[in-house]
Each structure stands twice: as C-alpha cells, then as structure tokens.
C-alpha cells in the first residue's frame, strides 16, 4: 500500500528545539562548587550497567535490597532496555502478561489482572492513549498504553507486587514504576550517548527508523539532562474475523437440507439437543489487511540543583507525541442477516459449529478504513527535598499532567452485489448497483491454521463495483492531572526495633473530557422545509431522502471514480482463491488518509456535529494520607535479622460524572439514526467513597544468601473513566430486500437495530485483599532462585458483558433487538497461584562457556468467577492465562553479547458473547508464544553494533468462540528485524 505521511506536531518540534537549546547553553552556565558528598550521586559504571549480564545483576540487586516483593528491569546501556518496547521487556518478568497492538507491546497484566497502576518516578503517569481504530484508548485509565512511550527515555522499570502504605494506591495486581534518568545518576562533567536504528517487517516490507540521544552535565552542585527519541514505523497486521456483525442461528429447515446427519430436516433451536439442528451463522466473515504507521517523539528533560547541603530541587518534564495512521481493506462476505444461504456440502459439527461452509451470498463488499490519531502527553514534576542528616527528612512535590488525543476516521463500503431497488429523481426505479452481481457463491474453510476462502463467483471485474456507502467521524479527548503531596520520615537513633516513621498526605485531581462527533453534509437535492433534513452522516444511495422521497446519494461506479480505488490481493497467510492474481477492487485507504478532505471531494460541505450520547466528562478528586512504621531487629537463637513495615493508607475518592441527556425525537440530520443527537441537558452523578488500605511486609535474612518475605495489603483500583461516563450508543443496519430481508413486511431501507454499547456510572471500583510470600536464594553473583506464592481475594470484577436486549429499531418499534455490550459490577473471586524463577550467570565454566547465562521463570495463576458458558462451565477472570513461562538464554564475553528469549502463555478467557440468540458463548484466546533474539558487538568502548529480531516464528493470536474449532478472529503479526548502532562518550 502506498505510504501517507502522518501529520507532524509543531508543539513537539518546538519542545525539541527548546530543550536542545538548553543543552547547548549548559557549558556557559557551569560553575564549580565546593566538593561535598551528595546523596544519590554515583559513578557512571555503577548505574549504567553494560550488557545483558550487568543488567541482570543490577535487577537482581534491586530485588535483593527492597523491603517488599519487587522485580526489576535495568537498562543494558544508556537508553537501551532489553527489548524493543517497555511492554516487551516487562513480559520477561515473572507473572507479567502482555497484550499487543499491531504486534507491539501495549498493555500488561500482573498475575492475571489488568488493574495495574503505572507511575513515573513514584507518581501517577498520565498517558495519551493508543492508536486503535475505534478511538477508545486508555487515556482515562491508570495504566497508559506503552505503545506511546519510547523505551529509550527510561533507565529501568520496577514491578511492585507487594505494596506498602507509602506506595501510591490505584492497582490491585501491582504497580509498574517507570524510572527516568536523573542528572546525578551520572559522573561529573559531560556524558553523551546516541542510538540509530533501522527496522524491517516481512509483511509491510518497509524500512523504519529510530533515533535517540542523551546529553547530561553534572557538577558537584547541579546537573541537567536532556533525552530525545524519534521513531517512524510501518507495521502490518492481518485480521480475519467473523464477529463484526454478530451471529444468528440457522436451522436445517432454514437452509433446506440435513447437515447433522440424523436423516431428518429439523428446526429445533434448543441448545440442549445434540446433535444440534442449527448452526451458528456468523453474519459477516471479514478478511482485513491493516497497515499502521506510527511516528513517535519523546523528550525528557531534568534538572537537579542543591541549594545547600541539605536542600535539593528536582525538576523534570516528559513529553510524548505519537501520530498514528491505520489503513485497512477488508473483504466482507455478508449474509445480510438472512438464514437460508448455506448450501449442501457444508460441514457442521454436533455443537452447531460451521467448520466448512458453501454460501450463496446476496451481498459481498470491500470495507475500507483510514483512521488518523494525534496524541500527546506532558508530565511535569517539581520536588523540593530536605535532608540535613538529622532525624527528619522530607519532601514537597507538585505534579502536573496534560494529555490530548484527536482521532478521525473515514470509512467506505464498496459493493460488487447489485443491492436493493432504488427510486431516482426522475421517478424511475433501478438496482442501486445496476452493474452488480445478483448473487455471489463462495466457500469458507475454518479447519486449517488460517481461514481459507474460495471465491467461486468472479468478483474481480471493476465494472461490477460501486462505492455504495461512505462516512466519517471522530472524537477528541483531553485529560488533566494535578497532584500536591508531602512526605516525611522521622528516624530514631536509639537502635531500637522501631527505626523510622513515614507519613504523608496527597491531593490529586484528574479530569477527563470525551467529545464524539460525526461529519454531516447537505446531501439532499431538496427542497427541504427544514434545512437540517438535508444533512446526512451516511452517504448511501440505498437511503431514501427524507426531503424528496428518492435516493439520497450519488451513484458512484468505479468507472466514474478512477482515482479512488485500487486492487488489493495480499491476504497472506489467509488464502483467498478465485481473485485471478489481479486482486480485489476496493476504495483505496490512501485516498482517505485525510478523512475530511476525502469526504468533501465526494460530498462537499461536511461539518463536525457533536454526538451527545457518546460524549461525557468525568472528574476524579482523590485525597489520601498514610502512616507507616519501619521496624528492624533479630529473632531466634541464631539472631536472624528481619525488616518490616506496617502501615495504613486512607483514600477518599469523589467522582463527578456528566452524562448528556438526549431524545431520539430531537436530532440534527435527515433521520435520528443518520445524524446526531444534541445534548438537551446534563445528568450529573456524584459518587463518593472512602477506602482504608492496611499493609504489612516483613522479610527475614535466613542467611547471607537467602531471604524469606511475607506481604499483605488491601488494594483499590479506579474504574476506567470511559466505562463510567458513556451513555447508550446504538447502531442500525438496513433491512434489505427479499429474499434476504430481515423483516419482509418493512421497506428495504428500514433501519433495524444492529448493536449497542453503554457505560455504567454506578460501577464500583476494583477492591482486593492481597497475600504474598517469597523465598529468594542469591546463591552466586548475578544469580537467583526464587519461589513465590500469592492470593488475591477480589470483592468485585467490573467487566464487559454482551447480551441480546429488546432495543427499538429506528422507528421506535421493538422487534428483534440485538446485542448490547455493557459494563457491569461482576461477582467476586480469588486469584491464586505460585511463581518460580531461576537466573544464573555461569561465570564458573571454563573458557568461552563462562559467558553464558539464563533467566527462566514460570507462573501458575488460577482465577474463577461466578459466570458460566453455554455448557455450564465456570468462567475464569478475563485475560488471565493459567500458565505462563519465559526462557532467556544469554551470552556475554569480551565484545560479543547475544540473547534468545521465548515468552509463552496458555489460553485465556476474554468475554462472553450472546449475540447468537442469547447463547452464552465464551470467547477464548488460544495459547501463544513469541521468540525474540538479539546480537551485539562492541567495536570499541564507545561504539556498539547490534542486530535484533522479534516474533521470529511468525506467531499469531487466534480467538475462538466456546469450542476450539469455532473460529472467532485472529491477529496475524509480522516478523521484524532491527539493525542499529549505539554511541557513548
């Protein structure tokens, strides 16, 4: 596909220029101060660990020194975490599970739950969200989307599994603590590093680029740092699926033949009957080719200044900007909700799963998408720390975050089928696509590793194709965060068991505003008594104009728009036979990469109108205080040293939720379903609650090499703000004409309820009681054997559920209804399991063997809720794999470093889908494993060349509905290769 450049951000360029200017001016500002020992000042070789061995040793040491259960990742070099993304590195940690976006690590779970707090340098980090096609990123969540965050900005990451009262509340699985470089982390004088990298994907077949640089200056009294990262990536993601338009049940009576082999043609829809007389008839089988272009900029600037020997200022700012462009073409075989299109020769198993189907379709189309997002986030921190070496030390801190994301998309349906009859302005009647095909025969085979489609009817002639429907929409999200906090420590010098008291208070505000809009244009030829009735969202000749009673949109056969379409044939590894090697005609998403410009070129005058049902605002105010006692002593006949902290954190949370009131009878546009519903008022909901969160951690030094730890804490995780604020948003689809009409008594353009989604302002937060135990044996340098046991007793799991509801069609009459996805308060449950890890550097081996090392770990996590599937099986917590394992083998000797890493997780439950007439089908992700490798060579102490590869086995992520042979969807990711160089001096 042709490349369209994402838009550049003037703000990002200005910030980069400003901080580079600051770095250039630093030498003139430098002044000597009297030498003094500075707390936290360490030499470069103690902080910037070199190589995989040094990174493992540093991470193990951080775990050993902690007074709670923590796992760490340390940079192998300045600006070089062990993997391509932060999330990819996190998945190597015991108990951390990864979710991907276009093949890149995006979100993580800790021990099976996604309610994970993310902090940067100890305080809440406000991210800008990801680049998904639906425009619903996690900007309003505690966990940011790591796709936005350049990994080169960070020196390391901690995963905290057993929290203390002093730790920020907000997660039940744990906390991900991002750590940026600070000026006093480096030696005196100047430090520079830089990295340049090119990468290549075997599907997108384009060269990507990534650059980063760090400059740091430090004297005895002050230091300043600047890090800049830039990357431009093109990524491929194939996505075959069946779920986009839901499912129906089609019986043997509907299709007219016996497919269950019992010798009779039955029509019983009771799921209890086996073999079933019906099959699950997915409305649309979709083969999507998606290409993503991501341009990232990251800037981190920091200043440390010691006013006196006891008073120090820390100030830093982190800025990220990402331009994301998704372009896709999907071949869509569509039943138009008819139940009679399956042909003899199809294969249906006793559960009603269609394994191989031959269909006679009345509708075949190519769906094109171009979605453009621009997201940026600014996180600023200023902290004044006091420590004069006496009993008291403390700090005052202010943190400000601001993030914004603008998303716009254009969509188009091109059809090769003829569609329904329409009336033209001259009064004549014809089919919507007069050159289209009456019926399309095709077969679909789900029995192999990938779906296989055979187009029996030739659909490659562009003379049969027409642009039928097109539309554009967008949304704008803004979030701000302000935090004021003070922390103090009082140390006791008498050598007693009570060593210190920690205390602090925090006030934080987070505002989230989501505004959805649709582009309407005056399509109707008129005249219209009300000008609003001339405005349309869907531009489609199948829609009857409300002003004139005839077809409302232009007829656009491909022959009339030669610059708007192209051929697409790269569905590999999904096989699509019958395209004759020429590809599928479809609207070219490259033409749509500026959605409004594209739409105006066909239907001028598009204006963005706010759509109130999908808009909302949430304000969160949080006030908390904590008190913690730190204890130390010895116990037992052998005087075993122990360390403990006991404390409590009290958090008061106030949520103010603004939902916008609307009415179906009040709308802007030609129809309520083809326009927007303006806000008629605000429904303000205020929820307030207080949580008391005790915690206790104790560790015993069983010997110089062994530690035993116990931890307990109560945790609370905030609800996702979009889940609280969104109202009921509904979607409709045309009724269609015989024989495929859903309701033969209604006209073809009647709008029938398709599906919906809704939030819930009454959601309770996630609350849990967590119990942890860990035994650790540091048996050699850079080596560790550890065993952990955990239990999370969760009160409630708010989660998504899809149910068939009796929702009205666009005319207000309730007929079939359809699936509505809602967020509800779920039942409680427990997550329990164990984890075991083994890390060792084989320094004791002779010769070159001494450079070998391993990092192996396994996690067992079992979690069940009260939900059940159609077969009565109890369902586990969503997105949790019961089994997870990592195996890393590394080598470091002289100038050579190498690493091979494999990450595997077992199948995991996702959600229930009852779109097929209420049957509770459980949606599962298959097991999946990823193989990555890296190799580097130190040309000299200042220059390193490296080569990396990710997803080397070409792994993909497949989902199935209830039974493993019932295909649901698949994300097919590419192999990626990286070649780069790092400089340091």
């Amino acid at each position: 596909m042709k490349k369209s450049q994402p838009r550049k951000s003037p703000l990002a360029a200005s910030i980069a220029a400003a901080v580079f200017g600051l770095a250039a001016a630093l030498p003139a500002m430098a002044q000597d101060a009297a030498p003094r020992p500075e707390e936290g000042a360490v030499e470069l070789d103690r902080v910037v660990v070199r190589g995989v061995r040094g990174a493992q040793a540093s991470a193990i040491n951080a775990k050993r020194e902690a007074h709670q259960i923590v796992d760490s990742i340390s940079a192998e070099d300045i600006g070089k975490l062990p993997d391509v993304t932060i999330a990819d590195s996190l998945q190597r940690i015991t108990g951390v599970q990864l979710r991907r976006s276009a093949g890149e690590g995006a979100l993580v779970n800790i021990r099976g739950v996604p309610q994970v707090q993310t902090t940067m340098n100890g305080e809440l980090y406000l991210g800008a969200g990801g680049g998904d096609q639906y425009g619903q990123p996690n900007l309003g969540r505690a966990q940011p989307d790591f796709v936005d965050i350049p990994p080169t900005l960070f020196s390391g990451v901690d995963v905290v599994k057993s929290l203390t009262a002093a730790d920020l509340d907000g997660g039940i699985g744990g906390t991900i603590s991002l750590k940026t470089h600070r000026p006093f982390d480096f030696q005196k004088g100047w430090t520079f590093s830089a990295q340049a990298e090119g990468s290549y994907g075997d599907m997108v077949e384009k060269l990507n680029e990534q650059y980063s640089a760090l400059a740091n200056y430090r004297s005895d009294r002050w230091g300043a740092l600047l890090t800049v990262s830039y990357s431009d990536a093109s990524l491929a993601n194939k996505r075959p699926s069946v779920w986009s338009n839901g499912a129906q049940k089609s019986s043997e009576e509907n299709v007219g033949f016996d497919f269950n082999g019992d010798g009779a043609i039955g029509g019983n829809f009771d799921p209890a009957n086996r073999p079933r007389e019906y099959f699950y008839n997915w409305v649309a089988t979709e083969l999507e080719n998606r290409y993503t272009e991501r341009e990232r900029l990251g800037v981190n600037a920091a200043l440390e200044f010691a006013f006196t020997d006891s008073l120090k200022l820390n100030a830093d700012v982190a800025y990220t900007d990402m331009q994301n462009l998704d372009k896709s073409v999907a071949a869509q075989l569509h039943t138009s909700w008819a139940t009679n299109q399956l042909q003899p020769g199809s294969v249906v198993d006793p559960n009603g799963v269609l394994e191989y189907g031959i269909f006679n379709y009345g509708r075949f189309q190519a769906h094109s998408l171009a979605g453009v997002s621009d997201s940026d986030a600014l996180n600023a921190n200023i902290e004044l720390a006091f420590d004069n070496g006496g009993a008291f030390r403390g700090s005052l801190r202010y943190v400000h975050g601001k993030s914004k994301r603008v998303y716009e998309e254009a969509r188009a349906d091109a059809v090769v089928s003829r569609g329904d009859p329409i009336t033209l302005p001259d009064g004549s009647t014809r089919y919507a696509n007069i050159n289209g095909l009456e019926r399309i025969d095709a077969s679909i085979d789900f029995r192999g590793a990938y779906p296989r489609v055979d187009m029996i009817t030739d659909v490659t002639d562009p003379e049969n194709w027409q642009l039928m429907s097109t539309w554009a929409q967008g949304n704008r999200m803004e979030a701000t965060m302000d935090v004021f906090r003070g922390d103090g420590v009082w140390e006791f010098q008498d050598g007693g068991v009570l060593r210190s008291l920690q205390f602090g208070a925090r006030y934080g505000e987070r505002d989230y505003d989501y505004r959805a809009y649709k582009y309407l244009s005056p399509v109707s030829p008129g005249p219209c008594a009300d000008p609003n009735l001339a405005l349309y969202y869907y531009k489609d000749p199948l829609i009857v104009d409300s002003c004139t009673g005839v077809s409302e949109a232009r007829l656009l056969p491909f022959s009339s728009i030669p610059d708007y379409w192209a051929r697409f044939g790269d569905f590999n590894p999904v096989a699509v036979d019958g395209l004759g090697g020429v590809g599928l005609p479809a609207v070219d998403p490259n033409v749509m990469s500026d959605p409004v410009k594209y739409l105006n070129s066909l239907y001028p005058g598009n204006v963005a109108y706010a759509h109130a049902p999908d808009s909302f605002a949430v304000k969160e105010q949080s006030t908390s205080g904590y008190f913690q006692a730190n204890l130390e002593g010895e116990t037992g006949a052998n005087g075993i040293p122990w360390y403990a902290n006991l404390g409590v954190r009290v958090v008061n949370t106030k949520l103010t939720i603004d939902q916008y009131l609307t009415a179906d009878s009040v709308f802007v546009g030609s129809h309520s379903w083809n326009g927007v519903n303006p806000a008629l008022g605000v429904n303000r909901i205020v929820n307030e609650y207080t949580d008391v969160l005790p915690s206790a951690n104790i560790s015993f030094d069983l010997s110089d090499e062994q530690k035993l730890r116990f931890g307990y804490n109560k945790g609370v995780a905030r609800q996702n703000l979009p889940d609280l604020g969104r109202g009921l948003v509904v979607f409709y689809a045309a009724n269609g004409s015989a024989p495929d009409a859903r309701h033969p008594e209604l006209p073809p353009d009647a709008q029938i309820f398709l599906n919906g989604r809704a939030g819930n302002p009454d959601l309770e937060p996630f609350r849990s009681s967590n119990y942890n135990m860990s035994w650790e044996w540091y048996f050699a340098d850079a080596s560790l054997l550890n065993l952990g046991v955990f239990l999370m007793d969760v009160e409630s799991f708010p989660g998504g559920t899809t149910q068939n509801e009796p929702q009205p069609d666009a005319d207000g009459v309730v007929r079939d209804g359809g699936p509505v996805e809602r967020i509800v308060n779920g039942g409680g449950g427990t997550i329990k399991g164990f984890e075991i890890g083994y890390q060792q550097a084989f320094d004791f081996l002779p010769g070159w063997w001494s450079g070998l090392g391993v990092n192996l770990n396994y996690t067992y996590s079992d979690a069940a809720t009260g939900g059940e599937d159609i077969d009565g099986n109890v369902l586990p917590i969503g997105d949790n794999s019961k089994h997870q394992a990592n195996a890393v083998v590394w080598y470091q000797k002289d100038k050579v470093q190498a690493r091979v890493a494999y990450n595997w997780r077992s199948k995991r439950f996702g959600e229930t889908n009852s779109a097929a007439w209420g049957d509770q089908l459980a949606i599962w992700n298959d097991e999946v494993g990823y193989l990555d490798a890296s190799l580097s060579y130190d040309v000299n102490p200042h220059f390193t060349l490296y080569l990396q590869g990710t997803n080397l086995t070409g792994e993909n992520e497949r989902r199935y509905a209830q039974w493993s042979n019932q295909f649901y969807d698949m994300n097919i990711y590419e192999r990626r290769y990286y070649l780069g160089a790092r400089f340091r001096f």
Side-chain angles (χ1 to χ4, degrees), residues 181 363 642 706 752 824 860:
H181 294 286
R363 178 177 168 188
W642 58 267
Q706 296 186 54
I752 309 301
V824 298
Y860 174 84

Side-chain angles (χ1 to χ4, degrees), residues 106-429:
L107 301 171
V108 300
N109 296 348
I110 297 179
R111 291 172 169 171
V113 295
Q115 288 71 41
V116 174
Q117 178 76 284
T118 302
T119 64
M120 186 170 70
N121 298 325
E123 245 308 327
L124 187 64
Y125 176 83
L126 184 64
D132 63 284
Q133 66 165 321
Y134 303 105
Q136 303 292 335
N138 55 0
L139 185 146
R141 304 175 186 174
Q143 183 186 162
D145 193 323
F146 291 107
V147 163
D148 281 22
I149 307 172
T152 50
L153 299 184
F154 298 95
S155 61
V157 187
D158 290 337
V159 176
V160 183
K161 298 176 179 177
S162 177
L163 300 178
T164 72
D167 291 317
L168 190 63
D169 56 279
I172 61 172
T175 292
I176 297 173
S177 176
L178 306 175
K179 298 181 290 185
T180 64
H181 294 286
R182 291 283 178 83
F184 282 1
D185 292 342
F186 297 89
Q187 63 187 10
K188 295 178 185 177
W190 282 98
T191 300
F192 296 97
S193 75
Q195 179 176 319
E197 176 182 279
S199 63
Y200 180 85
D202 66 353
M203 288 184 184
V204 74
E205 297 182 343
K206 289 184 179 179
L207 183 65
N208 301 326
E209 53 189 322
Q210 187 265 328
Y211 308 97
S212 64
L214 177 146
N216 188 81
Y217 177 81
R218 179 201 157 192
S219 70
D220 285 326
R221 186 67 69 182
W222 69 278
L225 173 144
L226 172 68
T227 306
V228 179
S229 176
Y230 170 82
S231 66
D232 188 3
S234 296
L235 310 166
N237 184 186
K238 309 293 181 68
R239 296 168 57 132
S241 68
V242 298
W243 55 263
S244 64
N245 281 238
Q248 295 175 305
K249 292 181 181 179
S250 290
S251 72
E252 292 178 329
E253 286 184 352
N254 293 138
V255 300
F257 67 94
D258 172 25
F259 53 65
N260 70 7
D262 65 358
I265 298 177
N268 193 321
F269 288 103
D270 185 351
N273 287 353
R274 303 290 180 90
R276 289 177 173 156
E277 296 176 350
Y278 68 85
F279 73 96
Y280 293 100
N281 187 16
W282 298 98
V283 174
T285 299
E286 191 168 280
L287 313 175
E288 181 187 10
N289 294 342
R290 176 177 299 188
Y291 293 86
T292 298
E293 296 172 14
R294 286 179 178 157
E295 186 178 9
R296 300 180 184 90
L297 173 68
V299 179
N300 177 40
L303 173 70
E304 289 187 282
F305 188 87
F307 296 104
T308 67
D309 289 349
S310 58
L311 191 63
K312 186 175 75 170
L313 175 72
N314 279 325
D316 51 69
V317 59
Y319 174 80
T320 61
D321 177 88
M322 187 175 79
Q323 324 281 331
N324 191 93
L325 173 60
D326 285 331
K327 298 177 294 184
S328 74
V329 170
Q332 193 177 81
L333 299 111
H334 203 293
T335 69
S336 295
W337 293 273
T339 60
N340 60 351
Q341 296 178 349
L342 190 71
Q343 304 298 301
S346 302
V347 178
V348 179
D349 85 348
N351 290 316
V353 174
L354 179 70
E355 296 183 333
Y356 172 75
I358 304 171
F359 285 89
N360 177 244
Y361 289 104
R363 178 177 168 188
F364 180 83
Q365 65 187 34
H367 181 77
S368 301
L369 160 75
V372 184
S373 68
D374 185 354
S375 54
D376 59 78
L378 181 72
N379 285 264
N381 164 76
I382 186 167
E383 180 179 11
L384 194 63
F386 171 79
D387 184 0
N388 65 354
F392 173 77
R393 66 179 185 273
S395 65
L396 296 173
R397 188 172 184 182
Y398 169 66
V399 176
H400 174 72
K402 184 175 184 180
S403 59
K404 179 182 68 177
R405 182 175 185 270
V406 178
Y407 175 82
E408 289 188 337
E409 67 174 23
R411 293 175 177 262
D413 286 334
V415 299
V416 71
S417 43
R418 69 185 186 182
D420 297 320
I422 61 173
T423 302
L424 301 180
D426 63 4
S428 62
T429 301

